[in-house]
Amino acid sequence: MQEIWVDREDFRKTKIVKFEKPTLEDGDVLVSVDKFGLTANNVSYAVSGKAIGYWGYYPAEDNWGKVPVWAMADIVESKCEGIKAGERIWGFFPMASHVVLKPGQIKRQTFADMAQHRQNLPLFYNQYQRTEAEPEYLKTLEDERCLLFPLFATSFILNDFLEDNDFFEAEQILIGSVSSKTGFGLASFLTQNEKYKGQVVGLTSPGNVDFVKALKCCDQIVVYGDEAQIDTEKPSAFVDMSGNGELVKTLHDHLQDNMVQSIGVGATHWDEKRARGDMPGAKPAFFFAPAQMDKRDKEWGEGMLFQKAFAAGAQLAASIKDIVRVELITGPDDVDQIWKDMLDNKVSARRGIMASLN
Ligand SMILES: NC(=O)c1ccc[n+]([C@@H]2O[C@H](COP(=O)([O-])OP(=O)(O)OC[C@H]3O[C@@H](n4cnc5c(N)ncnc54)[C@H](OP(=O)(O)O)[C@@H]3O)[C@@H](O)[C@H]2O)c1
């Protein structure tokens, strides 16, 4: 059994750790992690591991951490009443071949990991979906579920948040790092949104222009460095997946008071400096998806926004399957290498990376 550890101060430093099959205590299950999605979002889990607590789900030793991923997994041994060997589950795991969980709050469709060290962490990440009771069609969407749905859900909630605020009266919405799944997901949902009458402007690097063009989700694509091409006459909202401080400042300086809203969502450019100090236009604020989810749960009923996000995500995933090609990387050395390639921006946006240490 094996897992990949990442140095919490230097994400390019990794080690493959082998371990013996653990002995289960009463209440434990041994899980074989079948396959997981890897994107810039997982790099962000490492970047905000300390601040938001992502290192806390599967602690490692000393200065090492285990980066969480969204995965499909199988229960291979059970000492837990109510959970049997052979069940397939989906949820938050480390980059590992196996892991021990302690299921509690067992329901027909879910259970939570009751491991002591996880009890102060948000339930959202502690909960596992039991696939047996799920509709058949979901079983055919395992890769999409790991690789795309968590990101498209955020895109959909962002689209809903913008709509809920009358798009901040913006006539153009600028999306930083639009070639990211979360970025083009938002661009696609905005393009399909009949209530939004403005333009969608995507910012990306030169190498990703053709990819974004193929997605047909932007009215204008602007390459980093060419921000002067953006119309300064239009009130603009900026939704940033890049976290690149220089880009944020350039856009604020360019649009001045016409930057009517500025929302930070991610940091695909994880090793660039963040934006600091006063800038013209709206003050940048961090997007907090759970706040919008809570609001809609109250207005529409529990889980409705998530259900809509799921349906829209499934539709979008189907429409891009010839543009984002899913591939499976197996074995610790190759998975370790793709992690490093991802850190160095060497993975084309056209590649949808699923990985497995089994
Ligand atoms: N706050 C939330 O609730 C939330 C939820 C979901 C996702 N997010 C964030 O949204 C961001 C996008 O995540 P994703 O998984 O959708 O990304 P992704 O699909 O893996 O993004 C790939 C794109 O990111 C840029 N990129 C990737 N690695 C880079 C590197 N090392 N240096 C510079 N640019 C790099 C490139 O885009 P360009 O060339 O276009 O820049 C690349 O095409 C992440 O930071 C993630 O954490 C936040």
Side-chain angles (χ1 to χ4, degrees), residues 23 58 83 90 136 149 153 174 179 189 201 250 268 288 308 325:
T23 311
Y58 296 99
I83 303 285
W90 173 83
E136 270 316 298
F149 290 178
L174 320 176
S179 73
F189 294 138
V201 181
T250 302
T268 54
F288 189 56
K308 285 183 187 216
R325 299 276 188 171

Side-chain angles (χ1 to χ4, degrees), residues 39-41 44 151 154 177-182 203-205 208 224 241 265-270 286-287 342-345 349:
T39 73
N41 192 34
S44 295
L151 307 167
T154 304
S177 212
V178 75
S179 73
S180 65
K181 292 160 196 69
T182 317
L203 291 122
T204 191
S205 34
N208 285 326
Y224 301 132
M241 315 297 162
V265 179
T268 54
H269 299 218
W270 64 277
F286 195 71
F287 179 64
M342 211 154 259
L343 290 173
D344 292 336
N345 200 12

Side-chain angles (χ1 to χ4, degrees), residues 293-307:
M293 285 168 79
D294 285 350
K295 182 171 184 284
R296 290 306 199 196
D297 277 352
K298 286 186 191 107
E299 291 169 0
W300 294 349
E302 184 90 28
M304 275 307 288
L305 175 61
F306 205 75
Q307 267 182 39

